[in-house]
Amino acid sequence: MTNQELKLKQAGFKITTPRQLILEVLKKYKTPLSAKQIYQYLPQIDLVSIYRNLKLLTNLKIIFQEIINNETFYYLDKKIHHHIVCQRCGRTECLPCNHKYKIKNFTNISHQLILSGLCNHCH
Amino acid sequence: MTNQELKLKQAGFKITTPRQLILEVLKKYKTPLSAKQIYQYLPQIDLVSIYRNLKLLTNLKIIFQEIINNETFYYLDKKIHHHIVCQRCGRTECLPCNHKYKIKNFTNISHQLILSGLCNHCH
DNA sequence: TTTATAATTGCAAATCATTTGCAATTATAT
DNA sequence: ATATAATTGCAAATGATTTGCAATTATAAA
């Protein structure tokens, strides 16, 4: 049983084929993927189930999400990383700390920092 | 003629009632507002026109936008500022530099930095 | 190792933010 | 004043995501 499957089980959820496949895809492609993208790799699984499972896995902190240009992307390994997005075509590049030079491919740069957490009320 | 109206005119666009009212609302409320929120203040104006004008004004850099939780908010004064969003209820607080202490109301904090600009291809 | 049951799935339809097409209206240059 | 292109409002489309519900399936207990 994988580490992720263990977490699922410990939280009292079933280890189902869709869940296993979604995790495998995220593991294989290593990059943040949208529900639609995962669906393209797994057309056997209903898109709705993909959405539901991505939400569950996110709640359990088995996977993590980031929202870019009104679409949510999911990834397995939580490491803080940043992006630069083209305002016109939406092209996105990851900016791992050791690739900062990539910012030279862009002009007209602005930025937005979103911190998220749980407010007192929800905690 | 206001500063914003001047920019519109200089860019060759008409100064229309919807545009004036949208700018007035953004000026009055000072905080980033979504199209829907602006529509609540201006029910006389079609929501579609609000969307179209917000896009135009953004393109002309008369107003600026930021995307939080899959919804776009617009504001008049470009000053870089940051937010913290509750992962559960979506409650959002602005974090102007002089109010950093507000972060104490949140736990479980993670962050995401989005830089945007124009890539070489689109420039 | 069956079986009961609650969790999960797939499908259809709903929802929410945003966009598009088009005919009617309006701001502006002449 | 008026011609004309830009803009509006309305209806309908789109794209991401969610919800309801009946059918299926993983799992724990017999």
Side-chain angles (χ1 to χ4, degrees):
Chain A
M1 193 181 313
T2 68
N3 192 27
Q4 291 85 231
E5 287 173 7
L6 192 65
K7 285 189 196 167
L8 262 178
K9 197 183 186 70
Q10 287 175 340
F13 295 95
K14 292 180 178 174
I15 300 168
T16 65
T17 310
R19 285 172 188 167
Q20 289 177 313
L21 291 175
I22 290 169
L23 286 168
E24 275 173 31
V25 165
L26 288 175
K27 205 166 295 184
K28 180 172 176 192
Y29 292 96
K30 290 189 174 58
T31 180
L33 297 173
S34 66
K36 274 267 178 69
Q37 288 173 320
I38 294 170
Y39 181 52
Q40 282 170 351
Y41 294 124
L42 300 173
Q44 332 98 57
I45 300 174
D46 194 286
L47 181 57
V48 174
S49 295
I50 292 176
Y51 272 110
R52 273 194 279 232
N53 283 318
L54 288 173
K55 179 168 270 188
L56 175 71
L57 293 168
T58 303
N59 286 342
L60 295 177
K61 298 193 195 305
I62 293 173
I63 63 174
F64 305 92
Q65 62 171 211
E66 62 195 19
I67 298 168
I68 296 180
N69 276 135
N70 280 334
E71 205 176 352
T72 308
F73 294 80
Y74 298 86
Y75 56 99
L76 251 177
D77 298 309
K78 182 169 191 155
K79 55 175 170 253
I80 286 161
H81 62 295
H82 306 138
H83 295 87
I84 183 155
V85 185
C86 178
Q87 289 159 355
R88 189 160 165 278
C89 69
R91 178 178 312 193
T92 300
E93 283 188 13
C94 285
L95 279 185
C97 301
N98 54 343
H99 284 97
K100 279 221 185 73
Y101 65 86
K102 277 200 174 168
I103 215 167
K104 288 184 181 155
N105 291 332
F106 284 78
T107 52
N108 229 286
I109 297 166
S110 66
H111 81 270
Q112 179 186 12
L113 175 67
I114 298 182
L115 290 140
S116 81
L118 288 173
C119 68
N120 283 347
H121 185 258
C122 291
H123 184 62
Chain B
M1 193 181 313
T2 69
N3 192 27
Q4 291 86 230
E5 287 173 6
L6 192 65
K7 285 188 194 166
L8 262 178
K9 196 182 187 70
Q10 286 174 341
F13 295 96
K14 292 180 178 173
I15 299 168
T16 66
T17 309
R19 285 173 189 165
Q20 290 177 311
L21 290 175
I22 291 169
L23 287 167
E24 273 172 31
V25 165
L26 288 175
K27 206 167 296 187
K28 179 171 178 193
Y29 292 96
K30 289 190 175 57
T31 181
L33 297 174
S34 67
K36 274 268 179 66
Q37 289 173 319
I38 293 171
Y39 182 51
Q40 284 171 350
Y41 294 126
L42 300 173
Q44 331 97 57
I45 300 174
D46 194 285
L47 181 57
V48 174
S49 295
I50 292 176
Y51 273 110
R52 273 195 279 234
N53 283 318
L54 288 172
K55 180 168 270 188
L56 174 72
L57 293 168
T58 304
N59 287 342
L60 295 178
K61 298 191 194 307
I62 294 173
I63 64 174
F64 304 92
Q65 62 171 209
E66 62 194 22
I67 299 168
I68 295 180
N69 276 134
N70 280 333
E71 204 176 354
T72 308
F73 293 79
Y74 298 86
Y75 55 100
L76 252 177
D77 298 309
K78 180 168 193 157
K79 54 178 168 236
I80 286 161
H81 63 293
H82 306 135
H83 295 87
I84 183 155
V85 185
C86 178
Q87 289 158 356
R88 190 160 165 278
C89 68
R91 179 178 313 191
T92 299
E93 283 189 12
C94 286
L95 280 185
C97 301
N98 54 340
H99 284 97
K100 279 223 185 68
Y101 64 84
K102 275 198 174 170
I103 214 167
K104 286 185 181 152
N105 291 331
F106 285 78
T107 53
N108 231 286
I109 296 167
S110 67
H111 81 270
Q112 179 187 10
L113 174 67
I114 297 181
L115 290 140
S116 80
L118 288 172
C119 68
N120 283 345
H121 186 259
C122 291
H123 185 61

